[in-house]
Amino acid sequence: MAEVRVNLANHSYTIHIMAGIISQVGQLMKDMPLSRKALIVTDENVAPLYSGVLADSLAAAGFLPFVLVVPPGESSKSLATADKVFTQAISMGLDRKSPIIALGGGVIGDLSGFVAATYLRGVPFIQVPTTLLAQVDSSVGGKTAVNHPLGKNLIGAFYQPQLVVIDPLVLDTLPERELKAGLAEVVKYGVIADYDFFDYLIRHQEDILARRPDELIEVISRCCQIKAAVVAQDERETSLRMILNFGHTIGHAVEGVGGYSEYNHGEAVAIGMHGAALLSSSLHLCSTAASAAVKQLITGMGLPLTAPGYGTDELLGYLARDKKVVDSKVNWVLMQDVGRVTITQDVSEEHVRAVLSQ
Ligand code: ADP
Ligand code: ZN
């Protein structure tokens, strides 16, 4: 059992990480000031696997759970799907203390969090993330959003959960490609903040890929600790929190050029981290040994390094449009060493071009 306490300016909560803990969510909720009716939001893939055990655990603790199932995939991160969740919440009479529980990956977390943030101006939100990506990334930090036809994540709010429950055993059913996508963010945490953790990942990559619970618990809790520490210092992403975007500058461009379908988020971030590492060493911010170590771990985790066939000009076009661009300058998160990064706008287009065309 591992617990990570997330301490924010106006709110604290605990992330519980343990094998099999999904059957104890009701128990964990029992001492919280909650109404009995609870809305579990999940998707069509996750529902048949885990909604029964979760709903049973709530019922055993005296709650009255209802399970709302939405289609899987990014298309459910929409105002139209949010409207279905609002309709369910209103028609079942959820009040200000009724919890909304996200059971699923990042899509379900972002969608349900957005509804929890806005229904009755905010109701208790509980996360039970079921993808590695959601467990190490979106369950800490409080970003919730739905997409608009004109852009991703444009409509949302910062909204913190009351409780996060992470069961590494649910990853057993996760498709291989989704597991690896989550590992890209895991590698990112090592690079931005923790040499020892990076080293742990190198030594245990086979156990992690084999989904051994002990190693997964170690990985998930380290990532949540690192993210919690960063977010605690910069809740609204004004400065330090930008380091979490390591690999995401080029990554978002790769996702954009591929029409958000060829590479998933984690794969695009892996390509972006490799690019950022190369950029860092070509600017002499870090050694070539440091950038080679990042390359080696990305490969070891079964992730891609480059996007063959992607045009440099097209990628550069997307870089300029990234949401994180301030005053038309790209904020690059670059490596000084494994475990240490810096943020700079001082990168010439020639250097970026040289890296993107490799
Ligand atoms: P992410 O967390 O990567 O942002 P999604 O919410 O889109 O993404 O989840 C990725 C896919 O994995 C979806 O098709 C979802 O239904 C499926 N999924 C989520 N969790 C599990 C699980 N534990 N086992 C099997 N499939 C899962
Ligand atoms: Zn990411």
Side-chain angles (χ1 to χ4, degrees), residues 43-47 49-50 71-74 103-110 129-135 138 169-175 178 181-182 264-266:
D43 74 26
E44 287 162 6
N45 296 330
V46 179
L49 296 167
Y50 305 113
E74 192 73 18
L103 173 69
V107 167
I108 293 298
D110 284 5
T130 64
T131 63
L132 181 62
L133 188 70
Q135 292 179 344
S138 40
L169 297 187
V170 304
L171 300 180
D172 276 349
T173 52
L174 193 67
E178 299 293 339
N264 64 31
H265 179 69

PDB file of all heavy atoms in Angstrom, residues 43-47 49-50 71-74 103-110 129-135 138 169-175 178 181-182 264-266, ligand 1:
ATOM      1  N   ASP A  43     -16.484   4.030 -19.520  1.00  0.00           N
ATOM      2  CA  ASP A  43     -16.724   3.828 -20.955  1.00  0.00           C
ATOM      3  C   ASP A  43     -17.027   2.363 -21.263  1.00  0.00           C
ATOM      4  O   ASP A  43     -16.951   1.493 -20.397  1.00  0.00           O
ATOM      5  CB  ASP A  43     -15.587   4.418 -21.810  1.00  0.00           C
ATOM      6  CG  ASP A  43     -14.297   3.603 -21.779  1.00  0.00           C
ATOM      7  OD1 ASP A  43     -14.337   2.376 -21.540  1.00  0.00           O
ATOM      8  OD2 ASP A  43     -13.222   4.212 -22.020  1.00  0.00           O
ATOM      9  N   GLU A  44     -17.368   2.110 -22.521  1.00  0.00           N
ATOM     10  CA  GLU A  44     -17.864   0.782 -22.906  1.00  0.00           C
ATOM     11  C   GLU A  44     -16.820  -0.318 -22.760  1.00  0.00           C
ATOM     12  O   GLU A  44     -17.174  -1.494 -22.625  1.00  0.00           O
ATOM     13  CB  GLU A  44     -18.367   0.829 -24.366  1.00  0.00           C
ATOM     14  CG  GLU A  44     -19.686   1.565 -24.502  1.00  0.00           C
ATOM     15  CD  GLU A  44     -19.968   1.997 -25.936  1.00  0.00           C
ATOM     16  OE1 GLU A  44     -19.187   1.626 -26.849  1.00  0.00           O
ATOM     17  OE2 GLU A  44     -20.970   2.723 -26.127  1.00  0.00           O
ATOM     18  N   ASN A  45     -15.543   0.033 -22.803  1.00  0.00           N
ATOM     19  CA  ASN A  45     -14.507  -0.990 -22.605  1.00  0.00           C
ATOM     20  C   ASN A  45     -14.286  -1.305 -21.133  1.00  0.00           C
ATOM     21  O   ASN A  45     -14.061  -2.453 -20.757  1.00  0.00           O
ATOM     22  CB  ASN A  45     -13.169  -0.525 -23.197  1.00  0.00           C
ATOM     23  CG  ASN A  45     -13.242  -0.357 -24.702  1.00  0.00           C
ATOM     24  OD1 ASN A  45     -14.006  -1.048 -25.373  1.00  0.00           O
ATOM     25  ND2 ASN A  45     -12.463   0.569 -25.234  1.00  0.00           N
ATOM     26  N   VAL A  46     -14.318  -0.272 -20.326  1.00  0.00           N
ATOM     27  CA  VAL A  46     -13.995  -0.428 -18.900  1.00  0.00           C
ATOM     28  C   VAL A  46     -15.195  -0.965 -18.114  1.00  0.00           C
ATOM     29  O   VAL A  46     -15.035  -1.744 -17.175  1.00  0.00           O
ATOM     30  CB  VAL A  46     -13.504   0.918 -18.316  1.00  0.00           C
ATOM     31  CG1 VAL A  46     -13.186   0.790 -16.840  1.00  0.00           C
ATOM     32  CG2 VAL A  46     -12.264   1.403 -19.084  1.00  0.00           C
ATOM     33  N   ALA A  47     -16.396  -0.568 -18.531  1.00  0.00           N
ATOM     34  CA  ALA A  47     -17.610  -0.946 -17.781  1.00  0.00           C
ATOM     35  C   ALA A  47     -17.710  -2.455 -17.532  1.00  0.00           C
ATOM     36  O   ALA A  47     -17.879  -2.876 -16.378  1.00  0.00           O
ATOM     37  CB  ALA A  47     -18.856  -0.418 -18.486  1.00  0.00           C
ATOM     38  N   LEU A  49     -15.501  -4.646 -17.414  1.00  0.00           N
ATOM     39  CA  LEU A  49     -14.370  -5.176 -16.639  1.00  0.00           C
ATOM     40  C   LEU A  49     -14.439  -4.780 -15.168  1.00  0.00           C
ATOM     41  O   LEU A  49     -14.179  -5.589 -14.286  1.00  0.00           O
ATOM     42  CB  LEU A  49     -13.045  -4.658 -17.231  1.00  0.00           C
ATOM     43  CG  LEU A  49     -12.715  -5.100 -18.665  1.00  0.00           C
ATOM     44  CD1 LEU A  49     -11.564  -4.265 -19.222  1.00  0.00           C
ATOM     45  CD2 LEU A  49     -12.353  -6.582 -18.675  1.00  0.00           C
ATOM     46  N   TYR A  50     -14.738  -3.513 -14.895  1.00  0.00           N
ATOM     47  CA  TYR A  50     -14.542  -3.004 -13.523  1.00  0.00           C
ATOM     48  C   TYR A  50     -15.707  -2.251 -12.903  1.00  0.00           C
ATOM     49  O   TYR A  50     -15.639  -1.923 -11.721  1.00  0.00           O
ATOM     50  CB  TYR A  50     -13.283  -2.122 -13.483  1.00  0.00           C
ATOM     51  CG  TYR A  50     -12.058  -2.843 -14.006  1.00  0.00           C
ATOM     52  CD1 TYR A  50     -11.447  -2.441 -15.192  1.00  0.00           C
ATOM     53  CD2 TYR A  50     -11.558  -3.948 -13.332  1.00  0.00           C
ATOM     54  CE1 TYR A  50     -10.345  -3.126 -15.700  1.00  0.00           C
ATOM     55  CE2 TYR A  50     -10.451  -4.644 -13.827  1.00  0.00           C
ATOM     56  CZ  TYR A  50      -9.860  -4.216 -15.017  1.00  0.00           C
ATOM     57  OH  TYR A  50      -8.783  -4.904 -15.509  1.00  0.00           O
ATOM     58  N   PRO A  71     -19.390   6.074 -24.872  1.00  0.00           N
ATOM     59  CA  PRO A  71     -18.490   5.415 -25.832  1.00  0.00           C
ATOM     60  C   PRO A  71     -17.017   5.699 -25.498  1.00  0.00           C
ATOM     61  O   PRO A  71     -16.706   6.765 -24.953  1.00  0.00           O
ATOM     62  CB  PRO A  71     -18.860   6.053 -27.181  1.00  0.00           C
ATOM     63  CG  PRO A  71     -20.236   6.608 -26.985  1.00  0.00           C
ATOM     64  CD  PRO A  71     -20.298   7.023 -25.538  1.00  0.00           C
ATOM     65  N   PRO A  72     -16.111   4.767 -25.803  1.00  0.00           N
ATOM     66  CA  PRO A  72     -14.697   5.003 -25.534  1.00  0.00           C
ATOM     67  C   PRO A  72     -14.112   5.993 -26.543  1.00  0.00           C
ATOM     68  O   PRO A  72     -14.669   6.167 -27.625  1.00  0.00           O
ATOM     69  CB  PRO A  72     -14.060   3.628 -25.715  1.00  0.00           C
ATOM     70  CG  PRO A  72     -14.967   2.917 -26.661  1.00  0.00           C
ATOM     71  CD  PRO A  72     -16.351   3.466 -26.438  1.00  0.00           C
ATOM     72  N   GLY A  73     -12.998   6.610 -26.155  1.00  0.00           N
ATOM     73  CA  GLY A  73     -12.270   7.438 -27.124  1.00  0.00           C
ATOM     74  C   GLY A  73     -12.510   8.918 -26.937  1.00  0.00           C
ATOM     75  O   GLY A  73     -13.444   9.367 -26.274  1.00  0.00           O
ATOM     76  N   GLU A  74     -11.612   9.659 -27.579  1.00  0.00           N
ATOM     77  CA  GLU A  74     -11.541  11.121 -27.452  1.00  0.00           C
ATOM     78  C   GLU A  74     -12.858  11.816 -27.816  1.00  0.00           C
ATOM     79  O   GLU A  74     -13.150  12.894 -27.306  1.00  0.00           O
ATOM     80  CB  GLU A  74     -10.399  11.592 -28.375  1.00  0.00           C
ATOM     81  CG  GLU A  74      -9.953  13.011 -28.209  1.00  0.00           C
ATOM     82  CD  GLU A  74      -9.148  13.295 -26.936  1.00  0.00           C
ATOM     83  OE1 GLU A  74      -8.626  12.341 -26.305  1.00  0.00           O
ATOM     84  OE2 GLU A  74      -9.073  14.477 -26.570  1.00  0.00           O
ATOM     85  N   LEU A 103     -14.337   6.389 -13.620  1.00  0.00           N
ATOM     86  CA  LEU A 103     -13.728   5.056 -13.725  1.00  0.00           C
ATOM     87  C   LEU A 103     -13.281   4.866 -15.167  1.00  0.00           C
ATOM     88  O   LEU A 103     -14.082   4.532 -16.038  1.00  0.00           O
ATOM     89  CB  LEU A 103     -14.752   3.977 -13.325  1.00  0.00           C
ATOM     90  CG  LEU A 103     -14.303   2.533 -13.556  1.00  0.00           C
ATOM     91  CD1 LEU A 103     -13.185   2.136 -12.592  1.00  0.00           C
ATOM     92  CD2 LEU A 103     -15.479   1.559 -13.417  1.00  0.00           C
ATOM     93  N   GLY A 104     -12.006   5.104 -15.436  1.00  0.00           N
ATOM     94  CA  GLY A 104     -11.536   4.963 -16.812  1.00  0.00           C
ATOM     95  C   GLY A 104     -10.223   5.688 -17.028  1.00  0.00           C
ATOM     96  O   GLY A 104      -9.532   6.042 -16.066  1.00  0.00           O
ATOM     97  N   GLY A 105      -9.912   5.930 -18.286  1.00  0.00           N
ATOM     98  CA  GLY A 105      -8.663   6.600 -18.631  1.00  0.00           C
ATOM     99  C   GLY A 105      -8.817   8.114 -18.593  1.00  0.00           C
ATOM    100  O   GLY A 105      -9.755   8.654 -17.989  1.00  0.00           O
ATOM    101  N   GLY A 106      -7.882   8.777 -19.265  1.00  0.00           N
ATOM    102  CA  GLY A 106      -7.858  10.234 -19.254  1.00  0.00           C
ATOM    103  C   GLY A 106      -9.130  10.865 -19.818  1.00  0.00           C
ATOM    104  O   GLY A 106      -9.567  11.916 -19.343  1.00  0.00           O
ATOM    105  N   VAL A 107      -9.727  10.214 -20.796  1.00  0.00           N
ATOM    106  CA  VAL A 107     -10.944  10.760 -21.403  1.00  0.00           C
ATOM    107  C   VAL A 107     -12.057  10.845 -20.357  1.00  0.00           C
ATOM    108  O   VAL A 107     -12.699  11.888 -20.184  1.00  0.00           O
ATOM    109  CB  VAL A 107     -11.383   9.886 -22.608  1.00  0.00           C
ATOM    110  CG1 VAL A 107     -12.792  10.231 -23.046  1.00  0.00           C
ATOM    111  CG2 VAL A 107     -10.395  10.041 -23.760  1.00  0.00           C
ATOM    112  N   ILE A 108     -12.257   9.751 -19.644  1.00  0.00           N
ATOM    113  CA  ILE A 108     -13.313   9.697 -18.629  1.00  0.00           C
ATOM    114  C   ILE A 108     -12.988  10.659 -17.477  1.00  0.00           C
ATOM    115  O   ILE A 108     -13.867  11.347 -16.963  1.00  0.00           O
ATOM    116  CB  ILE A 108     -13.475   8.243 -18.125  1.00  0.00           C
ATOM    117  CG1 ILE A 108     -14.025   7.354 -19.247  1.00  0.00           C
ATOM    118  CG2 ILE A 108     -14.360   8.171 -16.885  1.00  0.00           C
ATOM    119  CD1 ILE A 108     -15.401   7.749 -19.751  1.00  0.00           C
ATOM    120  N   GLY A 109     -11.725  10.731 -17.086  1.00  0.00           N
ATOM    121  CA  GLY A 109     -11.322  11.631 -16.004  1.00  0.00           C
ATOM    122  C   GLY A 109     -11.568  13.092 -16.359  1.00  0.00           C
ATOM    123  O   GLY A 109     -12.118  13.857 -15.565  1.00  0.00           O
ATOM    124  N   ASP A 110     -11.179  13.471 -17.568  1.00  0.00           N
ATOM    125  CA  ASP A 110     -11.344  14.867 -17.996  1.00  0.00           C
ATOM    126  C   ASP A 110     -12.825  15.240 -18.130  1.00  0.00           C
ATOM    127  O   ASP A 110     -13.252  16.318 -17.723  1.00  0.00           O
ATOM    128  CB  ASP A 110     -10.656  15.098 -19.353  1.00  0.00           C
ATOM    129  CG  ASP A 110      -9.145  15.195 -19.224  1.00  0.00           C
ATOM    130  OD1 ASP A 110      -8.627  14.985 -18.114  1.00  0.00           O
ATOM    131  OD2 ASP A 110      -8.489  15.481 -20.239  1.00  0.00           O
ATOM    132  N   PRO A 129      -8.584   5.958 -11.768  1.00  0.00           N
ATOM    133  CA  PRO A 129      -8.012   5.886 -13.125  1.00  0.00           C
ATOM    134  C   PRO A 129      -7.618   4.452 -13.498  1.00  0.00           C
ATOM    135  O   PRO A 129      -7.071   3.724 -12.672  1.00  0.00           O
ATOM    136  CB  PRO A 129      -6.777   6.787 -13.038  1.00  0.00           C
ATOM    137  CG  PRO A 129      -6.432   6.883 -11.586  1.00  0.00           C
ATOM    138  CD  PRO A 129      -7.719   6.689 -10.824  1.00  0.00           C
ATOM    139  N   THR A 130      -7.904   4.072 -14.735  1.00  0.00           N
ATOM    140  CA  THR A 130      -7.642   2.685 -15.150  1.00  0.00           C
ATOM    141  C   THR A 130      -6.619   2.554 -16.270  1.00  0.00           C
ATOM    142  O   THR A 130      -6.372   1.447 -16.735  1.00  0.00           O
ATOM    143  CB  THR A 130      -8.949   1.993 -15.598  1.00  0.00           C
ATOM    144  OG1 THR A 130      -9.449   2.678 -16.758  1.00  0.00           O
ATOM    145  CG2 THR A 130      -9.998   1.993 -14.493  1.00  0.00           C
ATOM    146  N   THR A 131      -6.058   3.672 -16.762  1.00  0.00           N
ATOM    147  CA  THR A 131      -4.927   3.556 -17.685  1.00  0.00           C
ATOM    148  C   THR A 131      -3.681   4.037 -16.935  1.00  0.00           C
ATOM    149  O   THR A 131      -3.790   4.845 -16.006  1.00  0.00           O
ATOM    150  CB  THR A 131      -5.087   4.428 -18.951  1.00  0.00           C
ATOM    151  OG1 THR A 131      -5.118   5.807 -18.573  1.00  0.00           O
ATOM    152  CG2 THR A 131      -6.355   4.081 -19.719  1.00  0.00           C
ATOM    153  N   LEU A 132      -2.520   3.553 -17.346  1.00  0.00           N
ATOM    154  CA  LEU A 132      -1.288   4.012 -16.699  1.00  0.00           C
ATOM    155  C   LEU A 132      -1.136   5.524 -16.901  1.00  0.00           C
ATOM    156  O   LEU A 132      -0.737   6.247 -15.984  1.00  0.00           O
ATOM    157  CB  LEU A 132      -0.071   3.260 -17.258  1.00  0.00           C
ATOM    158  CG  LEU A 132       1.265   3.653 -16.625  1.00  0.00           C
ATOM    159  CD1 LEU A 132       1.288   3.355 -15.125  1.00  0.00           C
ATOM    160  CD2 LEU A 132       2.428   2.927 -17.325  1.00  0.00           C
ATOM    161  N   LEU A 133      -1.488   5.986 -18.089  1.00  0.00           N
ATOM    162  CA  LEU A 133      -1.387   7.428 -18.377  1.00  0.00           C
ATOM    163  C   LEU A 133      -2.205   8.234 -17.365  1.00  0.00           C
ATOM    164  O   LEU A 133      -1.730   9.212 -16.795  1.00  0.00           O
ATOM    165  CB  LEU A 133      -1.866   7.706 -19.804  1.00  0.00           C
ATOM    166  CG  LEU A 133      -1.653   9.129 -20.308  1.00  0.00           C
ATOM    167  CD1 LEU A 133      -0.181   9.408 -20.520  1.00  0.00           C
ATOM    168  CD2 LEU A 133      -2.405   9.369 -21.604  1.00  0.00           C
ATOM    169  N   ALA A 134      -3.432   7.820 -17.134  1.00  0.00           N
ATOM    170  CA  ALA A 134      -4.284   8.556 -16.200  1.00  0.00           C
ATOM    171  C   ALA A 134      -3.771   8.399 -14.765  1.00  0.00           C
ATOM    172  O   ALA A 134      -3.843   9.333 -13.972  1.00  0.00           O
ATOM    173  CB  ALA A 134      -5.726   8.070 -16.311  1.00  0.00           C
ATOM    174  N   GLN A 135      -3.246   7.233 -14.434  1.00  0.00           N
ATOM    175  CA  GLN A 135      -2.772   7.005 -13.067  1.00  0.00           C
ATOM    176  C   GLN A 135      -1.567   7.879 -12.725  1.00  0.00           C
ATOM    177  O   GLN A 135      -1.438   8.346 -11.603  1.00  0.00           O
ATOM    178  CB  GLN A 135      -2.421   5.521 -12.878  1.00  0.00           C
ATOM    179  CG  GLN A 135      -3.651   4.623 -12.931  1.00  0.00           C
ATOM    180  CD  GLN A 135      -3.344   3.156 -12.765  1.00  0.00           C
ATOM    181  OE1 GLN A 135      -2.198   2.727 -12.896  1.00  0.00           O
ATOM    182  NE2 GLN A 135      -4.360   2.352 -12.487  1.00  0.00           N
ATOM    183  N   SER A 138      -2.978  12.356 -15.282  1.00  0.00           N
ATOM    184  CA  SER A 138      -4.157  13.214 -15.143  1.00  0.00           C
ATOM    185  C   SER A 138      -4.819  13.133 -13.779  1.00  0.00           C
ATOM    186  O   SER A 138      -5.622  13.998 -13.436  1.00  0.00           O
ATOM    187  CB  SER A 138      -5.156  12.921 -16.262  1.00  0.00           C
ATOM    188  OG  SER A 138      -5.229  11.554 -16.519  1.00  0.00           O
ATOM    189  N   LEU A 169      -3.640  -3.504 -10.579  1.00  0.00           N
ATOM    190  CA  LEU A 169      -4.103  -4.748 -11.210  1.00  0.00           C
ATOM    191  C   LEU A 169      -5.040  -4.489 -12.390  1.00  0.00           C
ATOM    192  O   LEU A 169      -5.156  -5.330 -13.274  1.00  0.00           O
ATOM    193  CB  LEU A 169      -4.801  -5.656 -10.186  1.00  0.00           C
ATOM    194  CG  LEU A 169      -3.930  -6.150  -9.022  1.00  0.00           C
ATOM    195  CD1 LEU A 169      -4.709  -7.165  -8.186  1.00  0.00           C
ATOM    196  CD2 LEU A 169      -2.620  -6.755  -9.503  1.00  0.00           C
ATOM    197  N   VAL A 170      -5.693  -3.319 -12.414  1.00  0.00           N
ATOM    198  CA  VAL A 170      -6.578  -3.051 -13.557  1.00  0.00           C
ATOM    199  C   VAL A 170      -5.771  -2.867 -14.844  1.00  0.00           C
ATOM    200  O   VAL A 170      -6.324  -2.954 -15.946  1.00  0.00           O
ATOM    201  CB  VAL A 170      -7.526  -1.844 -13.339  1.00  0.00           C
ATOM    202  CG1 VAL A 170      -8.368  -2.018 -12.081  1.00  0.00           C
ATOM    203  CG2 VAL A 170      -6.768  -0.522 -13.322  1.00  0.00           C
ATOM    204  N   LEU A 171      -4.467  -2.650 -14.699  1.00  0.00           N
ATOM    205  CA  LEU A 171      -3.640  -2.483 -15.903  1.00  0.00           C
ATOM    206  C   LEU A 171      -3.432  -3.813 -16.643  1.00  0.00           C
ATOM    207  O   LEU A 171      -2.983  -3.820 -17.783  1.00  0.00           O
ATOM    208  CB  LEU A 171      -2.285  -1.861 -15.542  1.00  0.00           C
ATOM    209  CG  LEU A 171      -2.351  -0.481 -14.879  1.00  0.00           C
ATOM    210  CD1 LEU A 171      -0.953   0.027 -14.571  1.00  0.00           C
ATOM    211  CD2 LEU A 171      -3.093   0.529 -15.764  1.00  0.00           C
ATOM    212  N   ASP A 172      -3.769  -4.927 -15.989  1.00  0.00           N
ATOM    213  CA  ASP A 172      -3.618  -6.236 -16.639  1.00  0.00           C
ATOM    214  C   ASP A 172      -4.383  -6.326 -17.957  1.00  0.00           C
ATOM    215  O   ASP A 172      -3.965  -7.026 -18.869  1.00  0.00           O
ATOM    216  CB  ASP A 172      -4.139  -7.347 -15.707  1.00  0.00           C
ATOM    217  CG  ASP A 172      -3.068  -7.771 -14.717  1.00  0.00           C
ATOM    218  OD1 ASP A 172      -1.906  -7.365 -14.901  1.00  0.00           O
ATOM    219  OD2 ASP A 172      -3.403  -8.488 -13.760  1.00  0.00           O
ATOM    220  N   THR A 173      -5.512  -5.641 -18.023  1.00  0.00           N
ATOM    221  CA  THR A 173      -6.347  -5.750 -19.227  1.00  0.00           C
ATOM    222  C   THR A 173      -6.081  -4.625 -20.227  1.00  0.00           C
ATOM    223  O   THR A 173      -6.698  -4.580 -21.292  1.00  0.00           O
ATOM    224  CB  THR A 173      -7.846  -5.702 -18.836  1.00  0.00           C
ATOM    225  OG1 THR A 173      -8.058  -4.549 -18.010  1.00  0.00           O
ATOM    226  CG2 THR A 173      -8.263  -6.957 -18.082  1.00  0.00           C
ATOM    227  N   LEU A 174      -5.188  -3.718 -19.856  1.00  0.00           N
ATOM    228  CA  LEU A 174      -4.928  -2.569 -20.735  1.00  0.00           C
ATOM    229  C   LEU A 174      -4.160  -3.019 -21.989  1.00  0.00           C
ATOM    230  O   LEU A 174      -3.178  -3.745 -21.877  1.00  0.00           O
ATOM    231  CB  LEU A 174      -4.105  -1.534 -19.960  1.00  0.00           C
ATOM    232  CG  LEU A 174      -3.986  -0.145 -20.570  1.00  0.00           C
ATOM    233  CD1 LEU A 174      -5.340   0.564 -20.575  1.00  0.00           C
ATOM    234  CD2 LEU A 174      -2.971   0.686 -19.773  1.00  0.00           C
ATOM    235  N   PRO A 175      -4.610  -2.606 -23.181  1.00  0.00           N
ATOM    236  CA  PRO A 175      -3.847  -2.976 -24.380  1.00  0.00           C
ATOM    237  C   PRO A 175      -2.387  -2.507 -24.268  1.00  0.00           C
ATOM    238  O   PRO A 175      -2.108  -1.441 -23.711  1.00  0.00           O
ATOM    239  CB  PRO A 175      -4.578  -2.235 -25.504  1.00  0.00           C
ATOM    240  CG  PRO A 175      -5.958  -1.987 -24.986  1.00  0.00           C
ATOM    241  CD  PRO A 175      -5.815  -1.831 -23.495  1.00  0.00           C
ATOM    242  N   GLU A 178      -1.428   1.030 -25.052  1.00  0.00           N
ATOM    243  CA  GLU A 178      -1.840   2.026 -24.053  1.00  0.00           C
ATOM    244  C   GLU A 178      -0.886   2.013 -22.857  1.00  0.00           C
ATOM    245  O   GLU A 178      -0.592   3.050 -22.273  1.00  0.00           O
ATOM    246  CB  GLU A 178      -3.271   1.752 -23.565  1.00  0.00           C
ATOM    247  CG  GLU A 178      -4.343   1.797 -24.632  1.00  0.00           C
ATOM    248  CD  GLU A 178      -4.547   3.178 -25.212  1.00  0.00           C
ATOM    249  OE1 GLU A 178      -4.171   4.169 -24.566  1.00  0.00           O
ATOM    250  OE2 GLU A 178      -5.082   3.255 -26.337  1.00  0.00           O
ATOM    251  N   ALA A 181       2.134   3.878 -23.837  1.00  0.00           N
ATOM    252  CA  ALA A 181       1.842   5.314 -23.908  1.00  0.00           C
ATOM    253  C   ALA A 181       2.001   5.938 -22.519  1.00  0.00           C
ATOM    254  O   ALA A 181       2.576   7.016 -22.362  1.00  0.00           O
ATOM    255  CB  ALA A 181       0.432   5.538 -24.444  1.00  0.00           C
ATOM    256  N   GLY A 182       1.527   5.226 -21.503  1.00  0.00           N
ATOM    257  CA  GLY A 182       1.681   5.728 -20.138  1.00  0.00           C
ATOM    258  C   GLY A 182       3.142   5.768 -19.725  1.00  0.00           C
ATOM    259  O   GLY A 182       3.579   6.672 -19.004  1.00  0.00           O
ATOM    260  N   ASN A 264      -0.462   7.914 -30.678  1.00  0.00           N
ATOM    261  CA  ASN A 264      -1.230   8.352 -29.522  1.00  0.00           C
ATOM    262  C   ASN A 264      -0.386   9.340 -28.710  1.00  0.00           C
ATOM    263  O   ASN A 264       0.774   9.596 -29.037  1.00  0.00           O
ATOM    264  CB  ASN A 264      -1.720   7.148 -28.694  1.00  0.00           C
ATOM    265  CG  ASN A 264      -0.582   6.335 -28.074  1.00  0.00           C
ATOM    266  OD1 ASN A 264       0.465   6.871 -27.739  1.00  0.00           O
ATOM    267  ND2 ASN A 264      -0.819   5.048 -27.913  1.00  0.00           N
ATOM    268  N   HIS A 265      -0.993   9.893 -27.649  1.00  0.00           N
ATOM    269  CA  HIS A 265      -0.317  10.958 -26.911  1.00  0.00           C
ATOM    270  C   HIS A 265       1.051  10.519 -26.390  1.00  0.00           C
ATOM    271  O   HIS A 265       2.054  11.218 -26.548  1.00  0.00           O
ATOM    272  CB  HIS A 265      -1.207  11.442 -25.769  1.00  0.00           C
ATOM    273  CG  HIS A 265      -0.585  12.520 -24.943  1.00  0.00           C
ATOM    274  ND1 HIS A 265      -0.376  13.798 -25.433  1.00  0.00           N
ATOM    275  CD2 HIS A 265      -0.091  12.515 -23.681  1.00  0.00           C
ATOM    276  CE1 HIS A 265       0.213  14.526 -24.503  1.00  0.00           C
ATOM    277  NE2 HIS A 265       0.400  13.776 -23.423  1.00  0.00           N
ATOM    278  N   GLY A 266       1.110   9.350 -25.795  1.00  0.00           N
ATOM    279  CA  GLY A 266       2.372   8.880 -25.217  1.00  0.00           C
ATOM    280  C   GLY A 266       3.449   8.682 -26.275  1.00  0.00           C
ATOM    281  O   GLY A 266       4.616   9.045 -26.070  1.00  0.00           O
TER     282      GLY A 266
HETATM  283  P1  ADP B   1      -5.849   7.840 -21.861  1.00  0.00           P
HETATM  284  O1  ADP B   1      -5.882   7.509 -20.424  1.00  0.00           O
HETATM  285  O2  ADP B   1      -4.759   7.181 -22.595  1.00  0.00           O
HETATM  286  O3  ADP B   1      -5.941   9.311 -22.082  1.00  0.00           O
HETATM  287  P2  ADP B   1      -8.497   6.749 -22.750  1.00  0.00           P
HETATM  288  O4  ADP B   1      -9.383   7.211 -21.668  1.00  0.00           O
HETATM  289  O5  ADP B   1      -8.896   7.077 -24.134  1.00  0.00           O
HETATM  290  O6  ADP B   1      -7.071   7.282 -22.593  1.00  0.00           O
HETATM  291  O7  ADP B   1      -8.280   5.178 -22.626  1.00  0.00           O
HETATM  292  C1  ADP B   1      -7.582   4.478 -23.604  1.00  0.00           C
HETATM  293  C2  ADP B   1      -8.329   3.229 -24.033  1.00  0.00           C
HETATM  294  O8  ADP B   1      -8.127   2.196 -23.072  1.00  0.00           O
HETATM  295  C3  ADP B   1      -9.832   3.392 -24.149  1.00  0.00           C
HETATM  296  O9  ADP B   1     -10.268   2.657 -25.261  1.00  0.00           O
HETATM  297  C4  ADP B   1     -10.362   2.766 -22.877  1.00  0.00           C
HETATM  298  O10 ADP B   1     -11.665   2.272 -23.036  1.00  0.00           O
HETATM  299  C5  ADP B   1      -9.374   1.663 -22.640  1.00  0.00           C
HETATM  300  N1  ADP B   1      -9.165   1.280 -21.241  1.00  0.00           N
HETATM  301  C6  ADP B   1      -9.019   2.114 -20.191  1.00  0.00           C
HETATM  302  N2  ADP B   1      -8.691   1.432 -19.091  1.00  0.00           N
HETATM  303  C7  ADP B   1      -8.638   0.124 -19.433  1.00  0.00           C
HETATM  304  C8  ADP B   1      -8.326  -1.075 -18.730  1.00  0.00           C
HETATM  305  N3  ADP B   1      -7.944  -1.051 -17.453  1.00  0.00           N
HETATM  306  N4  ADP B   1      -8.393  -2.234 -19.407  1.00  0.00           N
HETATM  307  C9  ADP B   1      -8.727  -2.247 -20.727  1.00  0.00           C
HETATM  308  N5  ADP B   1      -8.999  -1.167 -21.454  1.00  0.00           N
HETATM  309  C10 ADP B   1      -8.956   0.020 -20.816  1.00  0.00           C
END
